Amino acid sequence: MPADAAPDPAHHADADAADPAAPGAAAAPARRDGRRTRGAHPVVAEGVAELLAAAGGPGSRAGLAVLDLGGGTGGLAVGLAEAGHDVVVVDPSPDALAALARRADEVGVAGRLTGVQGDTDDLAEHVADASVDLLLCHGVLEVVDDPEQALRACRRALRPTGRLSVLVAGRGGAVLGRVASGHLPQARALQQDRDGRWGPQDPLQRRFDADGARDLLARVGFSVLRTEGVGVLAPLAPRHGPDLDPSAARVLAALEQDAARDPALLGVAAALHLHAAPV
């Protein structure tokens, strides 16, 4: 996994990408592609909460073991630690991990939040096999050299009852975004390229459609429990954010929430959020 040298905590960002993981993204202007950012899109936040509950059993308890792979400055990890879970962030960037440590100190969760410099290649050196209840793999599979190897490392780290949260960039959403912004040659390249890339300068190694992402997880021993679209309709809205009155923003958020689970719309999502369990 390459180091993230950007000062912003957006991880493995596509320079033309949407921000489907950001707070309020359902009503915010967005470019249509997936990336890891601070906070979480409501669809992702709710999905992670459901996966925590499933990993922890009825009632969900605090103190679950959470691994955030490529979690950088802790956009999701800090909140999980605040909720009482024990969180390890594995990331290749020392600068991001330093920022993570400062944030953990500031909010008083340093005792429950640990940053480790590493990546998918050496994950077993930092995390014991079958020790993790919930593993977050957000914005990682698009940039690693071998996504199957990365997922095998995730599977080894998970307990048999554990859960995996995967967030990946969506190919279809990227195509629509390039068309909408007038980058038609890039849109055509995305459409035709086997890995869903728009050219040699593309910062992502690949993008996914729903079937491809599910097949990848199945090949390494995961059962996909649910696939959700993230950033489906909101990027198409002609008005966003401050230009949108509160009532319209609520309608747009409801549309986005319903669209997330509409199979017919998965193909146009900026990102895909997959719930999975080891089998």
Side-chain angles (χ1 to χ4, degrees):
M1 192 192 315
D4 179 5
D8 185 275
H11 271 59
H12 319 309
D14 183 337
D16 296 324
D19 200 351
R31 293 154 296 181
R32 301 183 64 87
D33 210 336
R35 71 178 186 180
R36 173 59 178 273
T37 66
R38 63 174 68 83
H41 185 287
V43 170
V44 176
E46 289 186 16
V48 168
E50 289 183 26
L51 288 163
L52 272 169
S60 187
R61 66 188 189 277
L64 294 179
V66 179
L67 172 61
D68 191 350
L69 184 57
T73 60
L76 288 174
V78 170
L80 292 169
E82 286 183 296
H85 302 292
D86 299 310
V87 186
V88 174
V89 173
V90 175
D91 194 275
S93 169
D95 292 338
L97 293 173
L100 171 70
R102 290 193 296 271
R103 292 183 65 187
D105 283 335
E106 288 169 2
V107 300
V109 297
R112 291 194 298 273
L113 182 55
T114 303
V116 177
Q117 188 173 1
D119 58 25
T120 56
D121 292 334
D122 60 5
L123 187 62
E125 298 176 18
H126 308 296
V127 180
D129 289 356
S131 65
V132 174
D133 294 302
L134 173 66
L135 197 153
L136 308 178
C137 182
H138 293 182
V140 172
L141 300 182
E142 301 95 322
V143 297
V144 295
D145 291 332
D146 187 343
E148 287 196 23
Q149 181 276 330
L151 286 170
R152 289 189 200 99
C154 292
R155 193 178 186 282
R156 285 194 298 270
L158 277 170
R159 303 187 200 276
T161 56
R163 293 292 186 270
L164 175 68
S165 173
V166 173
L167 186 67
V168 293
R171 177 202 289 259
V175 172
L176 288 183
R178 297 316 190 280
V179 171
S181 61
H183 295 101
L184 300 184
Q186 288 187 1
R188 185 60 172 155
L190 276 162
Q191 223 178 24
Q192 294 182 322
D193 185 71
R194 181 186 64 181
D195 294 318
R197 304 181 77 234
W198 51 257
Q201 301 304 312
D202 193 329
L204 299 187
Q205 298 230 36
R206 62 194 62 83
R207 293 175 180 83
F208 294 86
D209 57 35
D211 286 342
R214 287 189 287 249
D215 288 347
L216 174 62
L217 285 162
R219 285 199 301 273
V220 296
F222 283 101
S223 171
V224 176
L225 309 173
R226 190 161 80 216
T227 307
E228 303 169 316
V230 180
V232 180
L233 298 178
L236 302 175
R239 299 173 63 191
H240 308 279
D243 297 327
L244 204 60
D245 66 77
S247 61
R250 287 192 292 272
V251 173
L252 182 56
L255 281 166
E256 183 71 15
Q257 194 76 13
D258 289 344
R261 299 187 186 181
D262 186 338
L265 296 175
L266 281 179
V268 300
L272 299 168
H273 184 219
L274 295 94
H275 301 211
V279 293

